[in-house]
Amino acid sequence: MLRSLVGSEMCIRDSMYIPHLEVHQVRNLQSLTLDFHNMANIIYGVNGSGKTSLLEAIYLLGRGRSFRHRDLRMVVNHQAEELVVSAKVKKKDPLRSHQLGIKRGASGNFAARLDGKAILTAAQLATVLPMQLIDAQSFSLLEGGPLQRRQFLDWGVFHVEQSYSQLWARFQKTLKQRNQLLRHARIDADSLRAWTAELVPLGEQISAHRKRYVDGLVPHIEAVAKKFDGLGVLEVEYYQGWSEKMSLTEAMDFDSKRDLAVGTTCHGAHKADMRVKVDGMPAADVLSRGQTKLLVYALKLAQATYFRDKIGESCVFLLDDLPAELDYHHRQQVVSCLYSLGCQFFVTGVDKKDFEVLVKDNAYQMFHMEHGAITAG
C-alpha cells in the first residue's frame, strides 16, 4: 500500500535514505529486491516470517555485523555458501550518494565494497550508512551494564568527531598492552610506567570528547522527552571512569596496587558510564517495562536529532516489533517523532492493523512477509 507518494518523496529527498535494497541468503530470505519511496516502511507478518531478518540485513550494511548473533556465519542461509546484501544510499548531496555492498561466506570470509572499491573497516560502513536500532535487547541501554551506555555514547561521538575512531583504536590497543603486562607473574616496572604514560592522555582525550558530546546531547533528550507522556523529570550524568576529584594519573597511581592484584586497569575511559535518572532515581529502578522502552526511544531519537543538527543528515531507524511493550498512545507519539525527524524508518510487527491507524495520515509503504518472501500491500 502506497500513500501520498509525491509529498513523501519531497520529504525523504531532504534526508539520507535507502531507495533500493537487495538481499540474498540472509537466514530465510533467499532473494529479495525492494524499492523504498517513503519515510515509513512497515513490515508485518507472523513470527518467523523473516521480518527481523530483513532489518538484520540492513543492519549488516551499516555495521558489518549482526545484532542477533556474534558469529556472522550463523546468519548465512544454511542451504547457501554465502550471503550478499547491497543497497543504494542516497544523501542530501547527490555527489555523496553511494552503492554499498557486503558479502559473507559460510566459511567466515567477509568482504565489503563502496562504489565498487573494497573497504576494510566497519567504521567506513557506519560513516556511509549511520543507523539506529531499537529491538528487544535495547532495554539493556538502561537496565544493563555500563558497556551498553558507553557504546551509545561512542556511536554519537564517532559520528560528530572525525578523529574519534582513530583515537579509540589507539586507546584500545594501549589498554590491551597494559593489561597484558599486569597479568604477567613478573612485571617490568619501567614498561608498566611507559604504557601508563601512553594510556593516560588517550583516556583523557576520549573523556573530553564524551563530556562535550553529553553536554550537547542533553538539551535534545529534554526536548524529545517532553513529547512523551509519563517519563517524569530526566537527568543525565556522565561518569568519566575515575573520580572527578583526581586527574587520571593520580587515580591510577592511587590504585596501582589494585591494578596489580586484579591484573587489569581499574580506572580510565573504559570504565565510563552515562547515568540516567528519573525524578532523582535511577531510571531502571523506577520505570515500568513500557516506560523503559519509551525512554530508550527518547534517547535514540535525541541522539539522531543531535546527529542531524551537527552533520545535516538524518540516520536510518530500524524498529523491531514497535507495538511490543507500548500502548497505542505512546506508539503514536513515537511514530510522530520519527516523521518530524524526517528520517527513513523500517518497522516490524505482527498485525497490519497496529500500523494502519498509526500512519494513516502520513506517507508510508506496507510490506507483508511470509516464509521469507515479501509482497507490497
Side-chain angles (χ1 to χ4, degrees):
M1 180 180 293
L2 307 181
R3 295 286 300 276
S4 306
L5 271 176
V6 175
S8 171
E9 287 183 345
M10 290 175 64
C11 184
I12 203 169
R13 284 172 181 166
D14 292 333
S15 306
M16 183 201 76
Y17 71 105
I18 300 170
H20 182 77
L21 175 71
E22 296 184 16
V23 181
H24 302 281
Q25 306 301 344
V26 175
R27 297 194 187 271
N28 66 333
L29 309 181
Q30 295 187 9
S31 184
L32 302 180
T33 299
L34 297 166
D35 292 308
F36 305 110
H37 308 289
N38 286 276
M39 293 168 57
N41 299 277
I42 314 300
I43 303 103
Y44 70 95
V46 299
N47 293 332
S49 60
K51 305 183 302 295
T52 302
S53 296
L54 180 56
L55 298 190
E56 187 177 23
I58 300 172
Y59 191 86
L60 286 169
L61 273 178
R63 297 292 183 88
R65 57 185 174 86
S66 165
F67 61 82
R68 300 168 69 189
H69 207 288
R70 295 184 65 178
D71 188 349
L72 260 186
R73 291 174 295 183
M74 303 300 294
V75 184
V76 181
N77 186 300
H78 68 278
Q79 295 180 335
E81 294 296 322
E82 63 183 17
L83 66 80
V84 178
V85 185
S86 63
K88 293 180 181 177
V89 180
K90 293 287 188 180
K91 304 277 188 172
K92 286 176 64 176
D93 180 357
L95 297 177
R96 296 180 59 235
S97 297
H98 301 288
Q99 179 71 35
L100 190 62
I102 65 161
K103 180 187 294 186
R104 179 74 190 209
S107 60
N109 57 302
F110 179 83
R113 302 187 74 81
L114 175 63
D115 299 329
K117 298 180 180 179
I119 57 178
L120 302 177
T121 68
Q124 290 175 281
L125 294 172
T127 300
V128 175
L129 186 56
M131 63 179 61
Q132 294 279 5
L133 168 72
I134 301 178
D135 68 345
Q137 303 304 314
S138 295
F139 288 99
S140 64
L141 180 58
L142 296 172
E143 298 176 345
L147 174 62
Q148 285 75 24
R149 291 179 288 280
R150 285 196 299 271
Q151 290 174 339
F152 172 83
L153 290 177
D154 288 334
W155 184 97
V157 182
F158 168 80
H159 283 289
V160 301
E161 299 282 356
Q162 293 184 348
S163 63
Y164 191 71
S165 179
Q166 293 180 342
L167 174 63
W168 178 248
R170 288 170 56 202
F171 174 80
Q172 288 284 77
K173 181 178 179 180
T174 305
L175 177 65
K176 181 179 179 180
Q177 292 291 339
R178 188 178 191 272
N179 285 341
Q180 285 180 344
L181 188 60
L182 286 169
R183 288 192 289 269
H184 286 174
R186 295 181 180 179
I187 293 179
D188 182 338
D190 289 338
S191 295
L192 184 60
R193 279 192 293 269
W195 284 116
T196 302
E198 185 172 343
L199 185 67
V200 165
L202 295 173
E204 290 174 335
Q205 290 178 64
I206 286 172
S207 184
H209 281 303
R210 287 173 173 165
K211 282 182 179 179
R212 188 161 54 247
Y213 179 76
V214 171
D215 288 343
L217 180 64
V218 165
H220 294 283
I221 295 175
E222 293 172 346
V224 172
K226 288 179 181 178
K227 299 178 181 180
F228 297 151
D229 297 332
L231 284 182
V233 178
L234 297 182
E235 298 175 60
V236 178
E237 301 174 351
Y238 175 66
Y239 169 65
Q240 62 183 359
W242 69 93
S243 172
E244 296 283 351
K245 298 178 182 179
M246 296 181 179
S247 68
L248 181 53
T249 298
E250 290 170 336
M252 294 184 75
D253 286 345
F254 179 79
D255 243 6
S256 58
K257 291 183 179 179
R258 183 184 175 197
D259 284 2
L260 291 168
V262 300
T264 191
T265 304
C266 296
H267 292 292
H270 59 296
K271 297 293 184 177
D273 197 0
M274 183 184 74
R275 295 164 178 171
V276 183
K277 296 181 179 180
V278 176
D279 297 331
M281 298 291 292
D285 293 345
V286 298
L287 295 182
S288 69
R289 194 73 169 166
Q291 288 173 316
T292 299
K293 187 168 185 179
L294 193 63
L295 181 50
V296 170
Y297 272 104
L299 293 171
K300 297 271 188 164
L301 285 162
Q303 190 169 63
T305 304
Y306 188 28
F307 171 77
R308 182 196 61 190
D309 289 353
K310 293 284 287 187
I311 305 301
E313 296 275 9
S314 293
C315 54
V316 169
F317 268 82
L318 308 177
L319 314 174
D320 194 26
D321 200 6
L322 170 67
E325 313 289 349
L326 292 181
D327 58 39
Y328 167 75
H329 179 64
H330 287 118
R331 293 176 209 167
Q332 188 66 66
Q333 290 179 331
V334 168
V335 170
S336 295
C337 281
L338 288 165
Y339 273 112
S340 64
L341 185 58
C343 64
Q344 186 183 37
F345 57 100
F346 299 84
V347 188
T348 69
V350 174
D351 194 340
K352 180 180 181 179
K353 294 179 181 178
D354 284 339
F355 298 104
E356 287 178 328
V357 68
L358 293 177
V359 297
K360 63 181 179 179
D361 296 324
N362 297 285
Y364 64 93
Q365 285 178 268
M366 196 80 76
F367 300 93
H368 179 226
M369 294 288 302
E370 186 174 11
H371 304 304
I374 191 166
T375 55

